[in-house]
């Protein structure tokens, strides 16, 4: 029995067609995923999309030069149980510290000269600054003043803020929240002196 020889060009065209079809399927799946994300962002009034755009702009402005070297990667604890346990904050990278300063300055300026007597007023002002309500978490009051934590983590980042009303403004403290842990479960040492922001 005689076999039919395939020419190299026919075989390459056949294999190329398979790769091409696989590529088109991947593009279709990516387009569907992007469509799903856009639908979800639209359903909450676009607050998350606006926040992600703002966070991306701040993060881009804080990217280190390649000549700066690599930032140290902090080891992250893994939870042993599902019970909420307070954990220590993780170190922020230099890019996260830069972004933290920009968020702190932005929030401090917006609250300057105002007294927010309740958590609801604090949350309303923060949502007006394009921080989504889902990223704002209530904390126990400090000396009768409202306290909120902002989860600013995007992707593998750790940035979070604690915003405390101090009468005629707010004190904004940056900290690193480990992956997989709520920002409300991070143990922070009380600050004795108000920070610059």
């Amino acid at each position: 029995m005689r076999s039919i020889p395939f020419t190299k060009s026919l075989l390459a065209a056949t294999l190329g067609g398979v790769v091409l079809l696989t590529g088109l399927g991947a593009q279709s799946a990516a387009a569907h995923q992007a469509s799903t994300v856009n639908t979800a962002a639209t359903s909450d009034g676009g607050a998350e999309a606006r926040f992600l755009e703002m966070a991306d702009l701040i993060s881009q402005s804080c990217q280190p030069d390649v000549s700066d070297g690599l930032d140290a990667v902090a080891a992250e604890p893994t939870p042993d149980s599902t019970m909420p346990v307070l954990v220590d904050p993780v170190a922020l990278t230099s890019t996260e510290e830069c972004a933290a300063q920009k968020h702190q300055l932005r929030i401090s300026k917006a609250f300057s000269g105002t007294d927010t007597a309740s958590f609801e007023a604090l949350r309303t002002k923060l949502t007006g600054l394009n921080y989504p309500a889902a990223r704002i978490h209530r904390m126990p009051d400090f000396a009768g003043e409202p306290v909120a934590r902002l989860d600013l983590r995007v992707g593998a980042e750790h940035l979070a803020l604690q915003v405390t009303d101090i009468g005629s403004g707010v004190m904004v403290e940056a900290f690193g929240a480990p992956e997989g842990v709520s920002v409300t479960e991070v143990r922070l040492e009380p600050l004795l002196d108000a920070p610059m922001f």
Side-chain angles (χ1 to χ4, degrees), residues 51-77:
F51 165 74
L52 291 173
E53 183 179 333
M54 174 186 62
D56 184 51
L57 289 172
I58 288 175
S59 181
Q60 285 178 18
S61 72
C62 291
Q63 290 298 322
D65 290 337
V66 176
S67 61
D68 288 349
L70 299 175
D71 291 320
V73 177
E76 297 178 5

Side-chain angles (χ1 to χ4, degrees), residues 51 135-137 149-153 159-161 177 181 183:
F51 165 74
R135 290 180 171 267
I136 303 169
H137 303 276
R149 286 197 180 169
L150 285 173
D151 187 346
L152 302 181
R153 295 176 288 185
L159 181 58
L161 298 177
V181 174
V183 295

Side-chain angles (χ1 to χ4, degrees), residues 89-190:
V90 296
L92 296 174
T93 65
S94 59
T95 301
E96 291 170 332
E97 292 219 9
C98 172
Q101 290 174 1
K102 292 181 182 216
H103 284 288
Q104 288 172 309
L105 184 59
R106 185 173 183 271
I107 292 169
S108 294
K109 282 183 177 180
F111 280 88
S112 180
T114 61
D115 183 17
T116 49
S118 67
F119 171 76
E120 290 73 20
L122 192 64
R123 182 179 56 206
T124 299
K125 187 92 168 176
L126 290 169
T127 56
L129 293 171
N130 290 333
Y131 296 104
R135 290 180 171 267
I136 303 169
H137 303 276
R138 184 177 196 152
M139 296 298 292
D141 287 357
F142 178 75
E145 299 294 339
V147 180
R149 286 197 180 169
L150 285 173
D151 187 346
L152 302 181
R153 295 176 288 185
V154 177
E157 296 175 356
H158 302 103
L159 181 58
L161 298 177
Q162 179 163 291
V163 182
T164 306
D165 182 71
I166 55 171
S168 62
V170 291
M171 179 173 61
V172 185
E173 178 183 2
F175 64 96
E179 186 177 344
V181 174
S182 170
V183 295
T184 61
E185 297 172 3
V186 179
R187 180 185 312 115
L188 296 180
E189 295 294 324

